[in-house]
Amino acid sequence: MKIATYNLRFGGKAGNRVHWQKLIAQANPDVLLLQETLPADEYLPEEIYQANKQQIHWMAVSDRRWGSAVYVRQGEVVPLAPLSAAFSGWVVGVEVKDVGGLANEGGSLYIYSVHAPSVKASYVKQVNLILDAIKAQVPDGADVVIGGDFNLPLGFRHVSEELQQSQPKLMARFRKELGLMNCWQMANPNQNLPQTLRWSNDKRLPFHCDGIFAPASWYRHLDSAEVLAGEDWNVLSDHSPVIACFDD
């Protein structure tokens, strides 16, 4: 199983909306989580979109053309109700039945594409509220995958790293309350967090706000996690895709 997450930045530049097709072609993900994306048919050729539209759930943020989306290659995709009016389009969730692979046998996999809202409340407060709502929506014992752009540093940093912001209490919630692991950090132990957003204050600093959280029980199957970087990605968005790969 491969899981990918990618913030497209306001839907991407008109005339160069190749984000979905490029990521599918290069990473071949089984699960694709997207933020600041327009509807899938803006990126995919018509025949590919028509063949896969039942595997896609997208919702727009209120008063904006873009929103968040989930694409799942196989299984029955059942859209979930918005967590709340405040998070509609910012967070999109699906229940996937008969997904196979690593999910609990006979059970469903719950998948969320998260984009922490840019509102007056702090991002920490917003993500805490999102986690509260996900916990209330997901049945006990179900497997959950959460990924996206959280707009705050993910993971734990070494004392030698130049950028030191971290949210240890929030990161602990993923593990202790939802049983999830940070895929990039678990696959790359003792490594500095790489840049996923080239932020405006100092683009040299490795601001790492995009990530994938998967069940900790999948750890033995975690093969790798990487950030896709390079000029061919830089021209498409100010974020870089993050990929997590599991064997079955």
Side-chain angles (χ1 to χ4, degrees):
M1 177 185 286
K2 286 186 180 180
I3 304 171
T5 186
Y6 190 23
N7 182 312
L8 310 191
R9 190 173 186 265
F10 307 139
K13 188 176 181 180
N16 197 28
R17 292 189 177 128
V18 299
H19 306 67
W20 286 56
Q21 196 169 3
K22 178 178 173 62
L23 193 50
I24 289 171
Q26 183 161 330
N28 193 29
D30 299 286
V31 175
L32 180 55
L33 312 174
L34 297 131
Q35 305 82 45
E36 294 192 33
T37 178
L38 301 175
D41 58 359
E42 296 276 351
Y43 307 90
L44 299 174
E46 178 64 15
E47 62 180 36
I48 295 177
Y49 171 71
Q50 291 296 332
N52 291 278
K53 64 181 182 180
Q54 73 278 3
Q55 301 302 114
I56 298 166
H57 178 43
W58 171 84
M59 289 187 67
V61 172
S62 178
D63 299 325
R64 309 196 191 194
R65 295 183 63 225
W66 48 261
S68 297
V70 177
Y71 158 77
V72 182
R73 183 189 305 278
Q74 70 176 43
E76 179 187 352
V77 175
V78 180
L80 296 171
L83 297 179
S84 70
F87 296 134
S88 183
W90 294 100
V91 181
V92 168
V94 300
E95 176 189 0
V96 186
K97 301 178 180 180
D98 303 319
V99 67
L102 301 173
N104 288 334
E105 185 175 354
S108 295
L109 178 62
Y110 288 76
I111 304 173
Y112 293 88
S113 177
V114 171
H115 186 191
S118 52
V119 296
K120 291 182 179 180
S122 74
Y123 288 124
V124 174
K125 181 177 181 179
Q126 293 297 306
V127 176
N128 272 306
L129 290 172
I130 289 168
L131 295 185
D132 290 341
I134 289 175
K135 284 180 59 183
Q137 189 172 65
V138 174
D140 291 342
D143 281 339
V144 185
V145 170
I146 303 174
D149 171 15
F150 296 84
N151 273 317
L152 48 76
L154 300 180
F156 299 93
R157 293 187 179 273
H158 302 293
V159 295
S160 60
E161 292 186 64
E162 185 177 1
L163 187 64
Q164 279 297 307
Q165 292 114 315
S166 62
Q167 301 294 335
K169 291 183 179 179
L170 180 58
M171 294 302 100
R173 287 200 67 189
F174 285 92
R175 176 173 55 87
K176 293 182 177 181
E177 299 179 28
L178 290 161
L180 304 180
M181 62 178 172
N182 180 324
C183 292
W184 190 92
Q185 196 138 54
M186 294 301 289
N188 299 277
N190 301 315
Q191 299 296 312
N192 292 352
L193 294 174
Q195 187 176 52
T196 66
L197 170 64
R198 297 175 301 283
W199 62 343
S200 59
N201 292 339
D202 189 339
K203 295 180 182 179
R204 299 169 300 170
L205 294 179
F207 196 68
H208 185 95
C209 62
D210 303 84
I212 298 165
F213 293 85
S217 60
W218 295 6
Y219 174 67
R220 66 185 183 276
H221 298 285
L222 180 60
D223 278 341
S224 64
E226 63 177 323
V227 175
L228 302 183
E231 188 54 35
D232 58 333
W233 291 107
N234 293 352
V235 299
L236 297 180
S237 173
D238 55 350
H239 289 256
S240 296
V242 181
I243 314 291
C245 302
F246 300 84
D247 67 51
D248 290 334

Coordinates of all heavy atoms in Angstrom, one line a residue, residues 175-214:
R175 N -0.8 9.4 18.8 CA -0.4 8.1 19.2 C -1.2 7.5 20.3 O -1.7 6.4 20.3 CB 1.1 8.2 19.7 CG 1.7 6.9 20.3 CD 3.2 7.1 20.6 NE 3.5 8.2 21.4 CZ 3.5 8.2 22.8 NH1 3.1 7.0 23.4 NH2 3.8 9.2 23.5
K176 N -1.5 8.3 21.4 CA -2.1 7.8 22.6 C -3.6 7.6 22.4 O -4.2 6.7 22.9 CB -1.8 8.7 23.8 CG -0.4 8.7 24.2 CD -0.2 9.6 25.4 CE 1.3 9.5 25.9 NZ 1.5 10.4 27.1
E177 N -4.3 8.5 21.7 CA -5.7 8.5 21.6 C -6.2 7.8 20.3 O -7.4 7.3 20.3 CB -6.3 9.9 21.7 CG -5.9 10.6 23.0 CD -6.5 12.1 23.1 OE1 -7.5 12.4 22.4 OE2 -5.8 12.9 23.8
L178 N -5.5 7.9 19.3 CA -5.9 7.3 18.0 C -5.1 6.1 17.6 O -5.4 5.5 16.6 CB -5.9 8.4 16.9 CG -7.0 9.5 17.1 CD1 -6.6 10.7 16.3 CD2 -8.3 8.9 16.7
G179 N -4.0 5.9 18.3 CA -3.1 4.7 17.9 C -2.4 4.9 16.6 O -2.1 3.9 15.9
L180 N -2.0 6.1 16.3 CA -1.4 6.4 15.0 C 0.1 6.7 15.2 O 0.5 7.2 16.2 CB -2.1 7.6 14.3 CG -3.6 7.4 14.1 CD1 -4.2 8.6 13.4 CD2 -3.9 6.1 13.3
M181 N 0.8 6.5 14.1 CA 2.2 6.8 14.0 C 2.5 7.8 12.9 O 1.8 7.9 11.9 CB 3.1 5.6 13.8 CG 2.8 4.9 12.5 SD 3.9 3.5 12.2 CE 3.2 2.8 10.7
N182 N 3.5 8.7 13.1 CA 3.9 9.6 12.1 C 4.8 8.8 11.1 O 5.9 8.4 11.5 CB 4.7 10.8 12.7 CG 5.2 11.8 11.7 OD1 5.6 11.4 10.6 ND2 5.2 13.0 12.1
C183 N 4.3 8.6 9.9 CA 5.0 7.6 9.0 C 6.4 8.1 8.6 O 7.3 7.3 8.6 CB 4.1 7.4 7.8 SG 2.6 6.5 8.1
W184 N 6.5 9.4 8.3 CA 7.9 9.8 7.9 C 8.9 9.7 9.0 O 10.0 9.1 8.8 CB 7.9 11.3 7.5 CG 9.2 11.6 6.8 CD1 9.5 11.5 5.5 CD2 10.4 12.0 7.5 NE1 10.8 11.8 5.3 CE2 11.4 12.1 6.5 CE3 10.8 12.2 8.8 CZ2 12.7 12.4 6.8 CZ3 12.1 12.6 9.1 CH2 13.1 12.7 8.1
Q185 N 8.5 10.1 10.3 CA 9.5 10.0 11.3 C 9.8 8.6 11.7 O 10.9 8.2 12.1 CB 9.0 10.8 12.5 CG 10.1 11.1 13.6 CD 10.0 12.5 14.1 OE1 8.9 12.9 14.6 NE2 11.1 13.2 14.0
M186 N 8.8 7.7 11.7 CA 9.0 6.3 12.0 C 9.9 5.6 11.0 O 10.6 4.7 11.3 CB 7.7 5.6 12.2 CG 6.9 6.0 13.4 SD 7.8 5.9 15.0 CE 7.7 4.1 15.2
A187 N 9.7 6.0 9.7 CA 10.5 5.3 8.7 C 11.9 5.9 8.6 O 12.8 5.3 7.9 CB 9.8 5.5 7.3
N188 N 12.1 7.1 9.2 CA 13.4 7.8 9.1 C 13.9 8.2 10.5 O 14.0 9.3 10.8 CB 13.3 9.0 8.2 CG 12.9 8.7 6.8 OD1 13.7 8.3 5.9 ND2 11.6 8.8 6.5
P189 N 14.1 7.2 11.4 CA 14.5 7.5 12.7 C 15.8 8.3 12.8 O 16.7 8.1 12.0 CB 14.6 6.1 13.4 CG 14.9 5.2 12.3 CD 14.2 5.7 11.1
N190 N 15.9 9.2 13.8 CA 17.1 10.0 14.0 C 17.5 10.9 12.9 O 18.7 11.3 12.8 CB 18.2 9.1 14.4 CG 17.9 8.3 15.7 OD1 17.4 8.8 16.6 ND2 18.2 7.0 15.7
Q191 N 16.5 11.2 12.0 CA 16.8 12.1 10.9 C 16.1 13.4 11.1 O 15.0 13.5 11.7 CB 16.3 11.5 9.5 CG 17.0 10.1 9.2 CD 18.4 10.3 8.9 OE1 18.9 11.1 8.2 NE2 19.2 9.4 9.6
N192 N 16.8 14.5 10.6 CA 16.1 15.8 10.7 C 14.9 15.9 9.8 O 14.8 15.3 8.8 CB 17.1 16.9 10.2 CG 18.3 17.1 11.2 OD1 18.3 16.5 12.3 ND2 19.3 17.9 10.8
L193 N 13.9 16.6 10.3 CA 12.7 16.7 9.5 C 12.9 17.5 8.2 O 13.4 18.6 8.3 CB 11.6 17.4 10.3 CG 11.1 16.6 11.6 CD1 10.1 17.5 12.4 CD2 10.4 15.4 11.2
P194 N 12.5 17.0 7.1 CA 12.8 17.7 5.8 C 11.7 18.7 5.6 O 10.6 18.7 6.2 CB 12.7 16.6 4.8 CG 11.7 15.6 5.4 CD 11.9 15.6 6.9
Q195 N 12.0 19.6 4.7 CA 11.1 20.7 4.3 C 9.9 20.1 3.5 O 10.1 19.4 2.5 CB 11.8 21.7 3.5 CG 11.0 23.0 3.2 CD 11.9 24.0 2.5 OE1 12.5 23.7 1.5 NE2 11.9 25.2 3.0
T196 N 8.7 20.5 3.9 CA 7.5 20.2 3.0 C 6.8 21.4 2.5 O 6.0 21.4 1.6 CB 6.5 19.3 3.7 OG1 5.9 20.0 4.8 CG2 7.1 18.0 4.3
L197 N 7.1 22.6 3.2 CA 6.5 23.9 2.7 C 7.6 24.9 2.7 O 8.4 25.1 3.6 CB 5.5 24.3 3.7 CG 4.9 25.7 3.6 CD1 4.2 25.9 2.2 CD2 4.0 26.1 4.7
R198 N 7.8 25.5 1.5 CA 8.7 26.6 1.4 C 8.1 27.9 1.8 O 7.5 28.6 1.0 CB 9.2 26.7 -0.1 CG 9.9 25.4 -0.5 CD 10.3 25.4 -2.0 NE 9.2 25.5 -2.9 CZ 8.3 24.6 -3.1 NH1 8.5 23.4 -2.6 NH2 7.3 24.8 -3.9
W199 N 8.1 28.2 3.1 CA 7.3 29.3 3.7 C 7.9 30.6 3.4 O 9.1 30.7 3.0 CB 7.0 29.0 5.1 CG 8.3 29.0 6.0 CD1 9.6 28.8 5.6 CD2 8.3 29.1 7.4 NE1 10.4 28.8 6.7 CE2 9.6 29.0 7.8 CE3 7.3 29.3 8.4 CZ2 10.0 29.1 9.2 CZ3 7.7 29.4 9.7 CH2 9.0 29.3 10.1
S200 N 7.2 31.7 3.5 CA 7.6 33.0 3.0 C 8.6 33.7 4.0 O 9.4 34.5 3.5 CB 6.3 33.9 2.9 OG 5.6 34.0 4.1
N201 N 8.6 33.4 5.3 CA 9.5 34.1 6.2 C 10.9 33.7 5.9 O 11.8 34.6 5.9 CB 9.1 33.7 7.6 CG 7.8 34.3 8.0 OD1 7.3 35.2 7.4 ND2 7.2 33.7 9.1
D202 N 11.3 32.5 5.7 CA 12.6 32.1 5.4 C 12.5 30.7 4.7 O 12.4 29.7 5.4 CB 13.5 32.0 6.6 CG 15.0 31.8 6.3 OD1 15.3 31.3 5.1 OD2 15.9 32.1 7.1
K203 N 12.6 30.7 3.4 CA 12.4 29.5 2.6 C 13.5 28.5 2.8 O 13.3 27.3 2.4 CB 12.2 29.9 1.1 CG 11.0 30.7 0.9 CD 10.8 31.1 -0.6 CE 9.6 32.0 -0.9 NZ 9.5 32.3 -2.3
R204 N 14.6 28.9 3.5 CA 15.6 27.9 3.7 C 15.3 27.0 4.9 O 15.9 25.9 5.0 CB 16.9 28.6 4.0 CG 17.4 29.5 2.8 CD 18.6 30.4 3.3 NE 18.1 31.2 4.5 CZ 18.9 32.0 5.2 NH1 20.2 31.9 5.0 NH2 18.5 32.7 6.2
L205 N 14.5 27.4 5.8 CA 14.2 26.7 7.0 C 13.3 25.5 6.7 O 12.3 25.7 6.0 CB 13.6 27.5 8.1 CG 14.6 28.6 8.6 CD1 13.8 29.5 9.7 CD2 15.8 28.0 9.2
P206 N 13.5 24.3 7.2 CA 12.8 23.1 6.8 C 11.4 23.0 7.6 O 11.3 22.2 8.5 CB 13.7 22.0 7.2 CG 14.5 22.5 8.3 CD 14.7 24.0 8.1
F207 N 10.5 23.8 7.1 CA 9.2 23.8 7.8 C 8.4 22.5 7.3 O 8.2 22.3 6.1 CB 8.3 25.0 7.4 CG 7.2 25.2 8.3 CD1 7.3 25.6 9.6 CD2 5.9 25.1 7.8 CE1 6.2 25.8 10.5 CE2 4.8 25.3 8.6 CZ 4.9 25.6 10.0
H208 N 8.1 21.6 8.2 CA 7.6 20.3 8.0 C 6.2 20.2 8.5 O 6.0 19.8 9.6 CB 8.5 19.3 8.6 CG 8.2 17.8 8.3 ND1 8.8 17.1 7.3 CD2 7.3 17.0 8.9 CE1 8.3 15.9 7.3 NE2 7.4 15.8 8.3
C209 N 5.2 20.6 7.7 CA 3.8 20.6 8.2 C 2.9 19.7 7.4 O 1.7 19.6 7.8 CB 3.3 22.0 8.0 SG 3.2 22.6 6.3
D210 N 3.4 18.9 6.5 CA 2.6 17.9 5.7 C 3.0 16.5 6.2 O 4.2 16.2 6.2 CB 2.8 18.1 4.2 CG 2.5 19.5 3.7 OD1 3.4 20.4 3.8 OD2 1.4 19.7 3.3
G211 N 2.1 15.7 6.4 CA 2.4 14.3 6.9 C 1.3 13.4 6.8 O 0.1 13.7 6.5
I212 N 1.6 12.1 7.1 CA 0.7 11.0 7.1 C 0.8 10.2 8.4 O 1.9 9.9 8.8 CB 1.0 10.0 5.9 CG1 0.9 10.8 4.6 CG2 0.2 8.8 5.9 CD1 1.6 10.0 3.4
F213 N -0.4 10.0 9.0 CA -0.4 9.3 10.3 C -1.3 8.0 10.0 O -2.4 8.1 9.5 CB -1.1 10.1 11.4 CG -0.3 11.3 11.8 CD1 -0.4 12.5 11.1 CD2 0.6 11.2 12.9 CE1 0.4 13.6 11.5 CE2 1.3 12.3 13.3 CZ 1.2 13.5 12.6
A214 N -0.7 6.8 10.2 CA -1.3 5.6 10.0 C -1.3 4.7 11.2 O -0.5 5.0 12.2 CB -0.5 4.8 8.8

